[in-house]
Amino acid sequence: MSTAIYLQNALVPNLRQVQERSGSIRELAPDWDMPYVAFLDGKPILRSDWHMVLGDDHVIAFIDADAFPQGGGGGGGGSNPLRVVAMLAVVYFTGGMGGAMLGIEGAAAVGGLGVAIANAAVTMIGIALVNAIFPAPKPTSPQQAAALASPSPTYNLQAQGNSGRIDAAIPEHFGRMLCYPDFAAQPYAEYAGNEQYLYMLLCIGRGSYDVETLKIEDTPIDNYEEVAYEYVPPNGAITLFPTDVTTSSEVSGQSPYGT
């Protein structure tokens, strides 16, 4: 007969049920309503292989997947399924390994607290190895989070306008359409004499486009004599927008005549 282990909470491995049973993996599977994964001799096994009949030297473990923390989208991309499965295996298979390594005499010498510390140490080592193989996703910066939370306004029924989507996908347009280009760089303003000049670098999209007309709101841009603009094709040189500008908030509100 093979050994079947049932663990409905991966965070409490001491509550697992161990039974000696015979049959195929499908016959040994529990009737839980929640999703669960199976490990055969420490390795995950697909449901397509659950017809396998186990021998006397096999150990099959069924673990509730929802009982284990799944992670979230804080890393911009969600949890890694392989990392989750590996963590499940570590939590289960290292549950009592520390005490087993100490042996009967060693466990008796250090007591229950020492055995618990040894088990926790082995589990932490296993989790460290999993993190080294499947590193956790890096959290997004506030700028990336704000950009990703603001989708392209092209097909939005609300008010349209330009928006900055730093590190987001570059749009690609097809057909004839009204486009509100995204900011390709942070706009900035500078003062020369008594005049204020606004610089904006906009990205229409990936590739080359035939632009019928350029407007500010509903007014063609050619109606503004003070506006200078240029179209930059792919691999073209940008001449009207300085590409290395730092805006400092400390100098705002200053008077040119002193205080």
Side-chain angles (χ1 to χ4, degrees):
M1 300 179 69
S2 58
T3 302
I5 302 173
Y6 304 91
L7 182 60
Q8 288 189 269
N9 192 337
L11 301 180
V12 190
N14 59 308
L15 297 181
R16 62 182 180 269
Q17 298 180 4
V18 181
Q19 301 177 8
E20 297 295 329
R21 301 179 58 184
S22 60
S24 64
I25 299 177
R26 185 168 287 106
E27 293 172 343
L28 300 180
D31 56 353
W32 300 339
D33 294 332
M34 71 287 291
Y36 54 89
V37 293
F39 293 89
L40 178 60
D41 296 330
K43 298 180 180 179
I45 183 169
L46 298 176
R47 289 179 179 263
S48 59
D49 298 327
W50 282 19
H51 62 276
M52 182 186 305
V53 177
L54 302 182
D56 294 339
D57 56 344
H58 288 297
V59 177
I60 183 69
F62 300 96
I63 303 178
D64 175 16
D66 285 345
F68 196 84
Q70 299 294 317
S79 59
N80 186 343
L82 294 178
R83 186 172 185 270
V84 173
V85 172
M87 284 292 188
L88 286 170
V90 167
V91 171
Y92 164 70
F93 286 102
T94 62
M97 187 176 295
M101 294 174 61
L102 291 175
I104 298 177
E105 296 181 357
V110 299
L113 179 60
V115 173
I117 294 176
N119 291 335
V122 174
T123 302
M124 292 178 63
I125 294 174
I127 293 176
L129 292 176
V130 172
N131 289 331
I133 300 174
F134 304 105
K138 296 181 180 178
T140 57
S141 64
Q143 294 80 6
Q144 291 175 328
L148 295 176
S150 301
S152 176
T154 302
Y155 302 103
N156 195 346
L157 295 179
Q158 301 177 359
Q160 306 295 326
N162 308 109
S163 62
R165 296 189 295 154
I166 308 301
D167 292 335
I170 298 176
E172 186 172 7
H173 307 293
F174 299 92
R176 183 173 180 267
M177 61 182 300
L178 178 63
C179 172
Y180 293 83
D182 297 323
F183 290 124
Q186 184 67 31
Y188 74 96
E190 70 174 4
Y191 293 88
N194 292 326
E195 301 293 336
Q196 181 185 22
Y197 297 90
L198 176 64
Y199 292 84
M200 293 189 300
L201 182 62
L202 304 172
C203 176
I204 298 177
R206 179 176 177 269
S208 300
Y209 297 90
D210 294 329
V211 180
E212 294 185 14
T213 180
L214 182 63
K215 296 181 179 181
I216 299 179
E217 292 291 344
D218 296 328
T219 305
I221 197 170
D222 292 333
N223 292 356
Y224 299 91
E225 296 181 356
E226 65 276 14
V227 176
Y229 65 93
E230 66 175 347
Y231 294 107
V232 181
N235 300 321
I238 301 173
T239 60
L240 294 182
F241 186 91
T243 57
D244 188 9
V245 176
T246 301
T247 301
S248 176
S249 59
E250 284 76 6
V251 298
S252 61
Q254 302 293 320
S255 172
Y257 304 104
T259 58

